Amino acid sequence: KNQVEQSPQSLIILEGKNCTLQCNYTVSPFSNLRWYKQDTGRGPVSLTIMTFSENTKSNGRYTATLDADTKQSSLHITASQLSDSASYICVVRGNNAGNMLTFGGGTRLMVKP
Amino acid sequence: ETGVTQTPRHLVMGMTNKKSLKCEQHLGHNAMYWYKQSAKKPLELMFVYSLEERVENNSVPSRFSPECPNSSHLFLHLHTLQPEDSALYLCASSQGVNRHDGVLFFGSGTQLSVL
């Protein structure tokens, strides 16, 4: 069964600090992995997409990594800001009939001043 | 804004009521989706429409009835709901269904409470 597990479930950090969110998946065959950010009261918004051949990709203060061998991805946030407070959702797309999406349960991040 | 607009933002209804959720996308996409987001659970895909034709129905109870009159509009008709149906209902759109590089554009959702 395709699964996406995210950790931690929730995280509190101080403004200016760094943090790393984890995503482990069992989706096979694998097509790509996307990180979404969901602000409170909003729908998810795509941050970055990782394909099989990509190990690292940055989008401003966000850096995503992918290890396709161990089926793990991480999202590193540098110099956190209050506006980073949100839920971060890992979504994996399979490379099979229908190319279905499997969603993780998300990590809720709170950045405190 | 993401280009996907959902109304209403909040809805409280009794179990005997009938209501409808509305979604409109201004992105020229040809696929639209309904997702259910419950607390501490992953997003659950409910329905997928491609070119106004329903292509997926994930064993959703019949008390949820989708309608897609054109590629820009999507409705979710609700009747005789249960308290466990209380959740955030998200509409999304994309260019193509299940494209490898496809990204979903979500609306802000309708927070539904069933009393």
Side-chain angles (χ1 to χ4, degrees), chain B:
Chain B
E1 295 301 325
T2 62
V4 180
T5 304
Q6 288 186 245
T7 56
R9 291 295 306 275
H10 302 273
L11 180 61
V12 179
M13 58 187 290
M15 290 190 285
T16 59
N17 291 156
K18 290 184 179 181
K19 297 286 185 182
S20 296
L21 310 185
K22 179 183 176 181
C23 177
E24 182 176 359
Q25 59 98 359
H26 312 275
L27 300 168
H29 290 163
N30 56 19
M32 296 188 76
Y33 311 75
W34 280 115
Y35 282 89
K36 177 183 179 182
Q37 187 174 35
S38 304
K40 298 184 180 180
K41 291 177 66 176
L43 269 73
E44 300 172 58
L45 179 63
M46 299 176 72
F47 301 105
V48 182
Y49 276 84
S50 174
L51 297 171
E52 303 153 40
E53 179 182 344
R54 190 190 309 180
V55 296
E56 189 157 345
N57 175 352
N58 267 5
S59 303
V60 179
S62 59
R63 56 186 183 269
F64 295 91
S65 175
E67 178 189 0
C68 187
N70 55 62
S71 60
S72 299
H73 294 85
L74 186 65
F75 296 88
L76 188 62
H77 304 298
L78 316 171
H79 64 97
T80 59
L81 294 191
Q82 304 298 311
E84 59 264 29
D85 296 324
S86 298
L88 179 68
Y89 289 85
L90 289 164
C91 172
S93 71
S94 69
Q95 188 54 35
V97 176
N98 294 333
R99 279 178 43 168
H100 283 287
D101 59 348
V103 57
L104 295 173
F105 289 81
F106 287 88
S108 294
T110 294
Q111 185 64 55
L112 173 67
S113 296
V114 181
L115 304 179

Side-chain angles (χ1 to χ4, degrees), chain A residues 61-80:
Chain A
R61 294 179 297 101
Y62 299 103
T63 299
T65 67
L66 175 66
D67 185 334
D69 291 330
T70 61
K71 294 184 170 54
Q72 296 179 324
S73 176
S74 67
L75 182 68
H76 186 75
I77 304 175
T78 305
S80 61

